[in-house]
Amino acid sequence: MTQLIREAIENNQPIQLFRSTNNDGSTIQLTHDKKWIKAVKDTDTNKEYHFDMVNGKFFVHYSNNRQDKYVKTSSITQWWNKSTIITYDYKFAKLILFNTRQRDFRHYTNPARFIAGLSNRSCARFEQWEAIGVKIVELEDILNDVNKGKIMQRGDYYRNMTNQKIYKAPNEIEKDLLNVIRKYNTPLTISQINNFCANSYSFKQHQMLQQLIDYEKQDEYSDLFLVRKNSYSRRFEYESMISTDEHQWDKNRLLETLESYNIDIDRFVHYLRQLKDFEHTDIEWICDNYNDFLQAEYTLRGRKYSKMEKYPSNLVQTHHNRTSVIKDIERERQRLRNEEQRQKDIQIYQSYQHLSYKPRNSKYCIVVPENADDIVDEGVRMNHCVGGYIGRISKEETFIVFMRIQEYDDIPFITVEIRDGILCTALGKNNRRLDTEEKEFLQKFAKKRNLKYNAYQLV
């Protein structure tokens, strides 16, 4: 099929799309526009068949002033099956060949099924991208019988190739990004176009990747990006990490690092040569540790890229030193944060000490906790969730006090929550509800300490 297309283009001849086994020598020529696909049979010049891609039906146009009408597909299937289908439109031919609903054209004897796939949105997007001058690798590969150096079965080739879809049309992405893509001379894969549409930064990463691949093609740098092909194999076989799809995770991580810290590719490649020759590090170690070093350097330099050391002469030792210093700094910062929070908590608990309430001749009293440990202990001994309130207390969103029996004020009895000046919740062990006597005491306590009493939540 593709050989016929190539020869047709070179000799300015019609492109043969389909030829039935019981061909009677007649030819059907296809042309198309946005809404219609026109099919004209050379032996019947009085009528033209137009496939309406909106309604999915064939429409017959007569040249002898007969009334035009829609017809059933079955009425034209017979003469369709005996004809050779051709077109002079190369782009249209590629679009048909790339139709996601096509697998083997010899099986598509139904004319509607042969054409209908062109009406789907995904196929229309291919045409839209090509119309603005963007070359798509998969569409260009239709002209080649050889795919990545391996001759594939025709059915498998189309099956593998047509599983991919372009998810956005050119008018659905930003104009600035579209202009950048249009200026790119090298044909783009469907995956690359989808990445560009999803993330504007991926275009820069793709340019970096192309630069790395160009360096790898040079004998001097051909070994820089090699990794073990199979870690489970006893044979030491290697393959490129940047020019194959087997190591996408490491490849993407490397490109993100190079982009994030604005690493010059030329300088980076020469730096890799130095590392491999003198420090015996490989690209897998770089992927694991170079980003850690740059992140540590960025932190130590006050988050200023201009002061960073991006290419240390001894990366292994410098990486170890930088990351160790960062760990020490983080450990000290955590200690200070804990100490600062501890001092803040002490102040919070002290500010509520005025809520302490021990009236004479009363069975009950109110005890204010001194720290978070008292609240955790209360939750454990009372078998409820008050221990989880510590974070909210530190944020001063709520506070907890304890209602106790005065004679046994060290034994948990009732846990009380105060929020926004409201005595809102009071529960006993295992979330027991309060009796009348206990409620009356809390009402007196709320009145004495100028708190509102939410009787509804206490019931």
Side-chain angles (χ1 to χ4, degrees):
M1 177 71 72
T2 57
Q3 183 65 29
L4 293 175
I5 295 176
R6 183 161 47 248
E7 291 176 356
I9 294 172
E10 292 174 353
N11 300 320
N12 196 26
Q13 296 176 347
I15 300 169
Q16 179 180 306
L17 298 173
F18 171 80
R19 183 175 182 178
S20 63
T21 55
N22 57 344
N23 187 272
D24 62 359
S26 61
T27 301
I28 297 175
Q29 180 179 339
L30 298 182
T31 56
H32 86 302
D33 56 27
K34 292 182 178 179
K35 185 179 179 182
W36 301 93
I37 295 177
K38 183 170 67 174
V40 180
K41 191 173 183 180
D42 62 347
T43 59
D44 191 354
T45 58
N46 292 326
K47 55 186 175 183
E48 296 177 352
Y49 288 88
H50 296 248
F51 185 79
D52 187 343
M53 291 192 291
V54 176
N55 297 315
K57 296 180 181 180
F58 274 100
F59 182 86
V60 183
H61 171 68
Y62 296 94
S63 59
N64 55 4
N65 296 324
R66 289 179 58 184
Q67 184 178 2
D68 298 343
K69 62 179 181 180
Y70 281 103
V71 295
K72 293 182 179 179
T73 303
S74 57
S75 66
I76 62 173
T77 301
Q78 184 175 2
W79 63 265
W80 176 280
N81 290 338
K82 293 182 180 181
S83 304
T84 299
I85 313 299
I86 65 170
T87 184
Y88 283 87
D89 188 337
Y90 166 59
K91 290 185 177 181
F92 182 49
K94 287 203 300 182
L95 204 59
I96 292 177
L97 289 171
F98 199 75
N99 182 355
T100 56
R101 297 178 62 180
Q102 308 294 340
R103 289 297 179 262
D104 189 338
F105 296 107
R106 291 174 300 176
H107 299 161
Y108 279 75
T109 56
N110 184 317
R113 291 185 65 187
F114 183 82
I115 301 176
L118 296 174
S119 63
N120 66 59
R121 294 179 62 191
S122 177
C123 208
R125 291 193 188 109
F126 291 119
E127 191 173 24
Q128 292 167 2
W129 281 99
E130 281 220 316
I132 65 171
V134 176
K135 295 182 179 180
I136 301 174
V137 171
E138 287 84 355
L139 286 177
E140 296 297 321
D141 281 350
I142 289 175
L143 296 177
N144 302 317
D145 288 326
V146 179
N147 181 30
K148 294 184 179 179
K150 297 181 180 179
I151 298 178
M152 303 179 64
Q153 293 293 329
R154 183 58 52 197
D156 291 338
Y157 177 69
Y158 285 118
R159 186 174 297 110
N160 294 336
M161 189 173 62
T162 57
N163 281 337
Q164 300 185 71
K165 297 180 180 180
I166 297 180
Y167 296 112
K168 286 187 179 181
N171 61 357
E172 295 177 315
I173 65 174
E174 297 178 2
K175 290 184 178 180
D176 292 341
L177 176 60
L178 183 62
N179 290 333
V180 173
I181 296 176
R182 292 177 66 177
K183 293 177 181 178
Y184 204 70
N185 295 324
T186 306
L188 302 174
T189 66
I190 295 174
S191 297
Q192 289 167 353
I193 292 176
N194 287 333
N195 287 336
F196 299 157
C197 296
N199 183 356
S200 60
Y201 296 107
S202 62
F203 183 80
K204 183 178 179 180
Q205 291 184 14
H206 176 68
Q207 289 181 309
M208 289 180 170
L209 180 60
Q210 288 299 120
Q211 287 182 268
L212 295 176
I213 292 175
D214 290 341
Y215 267 108
E216 187 182 42
K217 293 177 181 178
Q218 303 177 29
D219 293 339
E220 184 181 355
Y221 307 106
S222 60
D223 61 330
L224 291 184
F225 303 98
L226 295 180
V227 294
R228 285 284 297 275
K229 185 175 182 179
N230 188 343
S231 59
Y232 299 101
S233 174
R234 294 182 179 180
R235 294 178 298 176
F236 289 90
E237 297 181 2
Y238 292 89
E239 63 183 353
S240 170
M241 184 191 77
I242 59 172
S243 59
T244 65
D245 295 329
E246 301 299 322
H247 310 277
Q248 283 291 345
W249 191 81
D250 285 324
K251 183 192 304 182
N252 292 340
R253 185 166 48 151
L254 175 62
L255 293 175
E256 288 174 3
T257 298
L258 298 179
E259 181 188 23
S260 298
Y261 295 97
N262 197 26
I263 302 298
D264 179 81
I265 295 299
D266 296 327
R267 179 71 180 85
F268 177 71
V269 170
H270 289 85
Y271 183 56
L272 284 183
R273 178 79 280 162
Q274 172 188 328
L275 293 178
K276 190 172 183 64
D277 292 344
F278 297 101
E279 297 193 40
H280 307 290
T281 55
D282 55 28
I283 191 63
E284 290 179 293
W285 189 92
I286 292 294
C287 289
D288 288 336
N289 297 282
Y290 190 50
N291 183 73
D292 292 343
F293 160 74
L294 291 173
Q295 187 175 5
E297 181 72 11
Y298 177 66
T299 302
L300 292 173
R301 300 298 181 182
R303 303 187 182 279
K304 294 183 178 180
Y305 292 106
S306 59
K307 295 185 177 181
M308 287 178 58
E309 182 183 5
K310 298 179 180 179
Y311 315 102
S313 58
N314 190 330
L315 178 61
V316 175
Q317 185 61 41
T318 308
H319 165 267
H320 176 73
N321 293 340
R322 293 291 191 276
T323 53
S324 296
V325 170
I326 289 296
K327 289 180 180 178
D328 292 340
I329 292 175
E330 287 300 321
R331 192 180 301 112
E332 181 63 19
R333 284 177 176 172
Q334 184 63 40
R335 189 190 69 79
L336 292 175
R337 281 196 295 267
N338 292 340
E339 179 66 22
E340 181 181 352
Q341 187 61 54
R342 191 176 69 84
Q343 294 298 329
K344 183 179 178 181
D345 287 348
I346 291 175
Q347 295 177 3
I348 291 173
Y349 286 95
Q350 287 179 348
S351 67
Y352 283 94
Q353 291 300 319
H354 69 281
L355 295 178
S356 180
Y357 180 60
K358 289 188 178 182
R360 294 182 180 180
N361 302 322
S362 175
K363 180 180 179 180
Y364 305 113
C365 67
I366 296 295
V367 176
V368 180
E370 295 182 358
N371 50 50
D373 293 337
D374 291 348
I375 295 179
V376 173
D377 184 62
E378 176 88 357
V380 172
R381 297 171 69 180
M382 295 285 281
N383 194 29
H384 54 45
C385 63
V386 74
Y389 283 50
I390 293 175
R392 292 165 59 186
I393 294 174
S394 295
K395 296 177 183 178
E396 300 188 67
E397 296 175 355
T398 190
F399 195 72
I400 299 294
V401 296
F402 309 140
M403 175 179 166
R404 302 280 171 84
I405 298 175
Q406 286 206 40
E407 189 176 354
Y408 309 102
D409 61 0
D410 59 339
I411 299 176
F413 181 62
I414 301 290
T415 306
V416 182
E417 180 184 4
I418 299 172
R419 185 169 63 246
D420 297 329
I422 302 172
L423 199 157
C424 56
T425 309
L427 296 170
K429 189 173 184 179
N430 298 318
N431 290 326
R432 173 183 68 82
R433 299 286 181 173
L434 277 60
D435 60 26
T436 303
E437 181 184 14
E438 294 163 348
K439 291 179 182 179
E440 290 176 352
F441 172 78
L442 286 179
Q443 286 176 338
K444 293 179 182 179
F445 162 68
K447 186 176 180 179
K448 287 287 186 180
R449 294 296 181 258
N450 296 320
L451 300 173
K452 294 182 180 180
Y453 179 79
N454 191 333
Y456 176 78
Q457 286 191 254
L458 293 172
V459 174

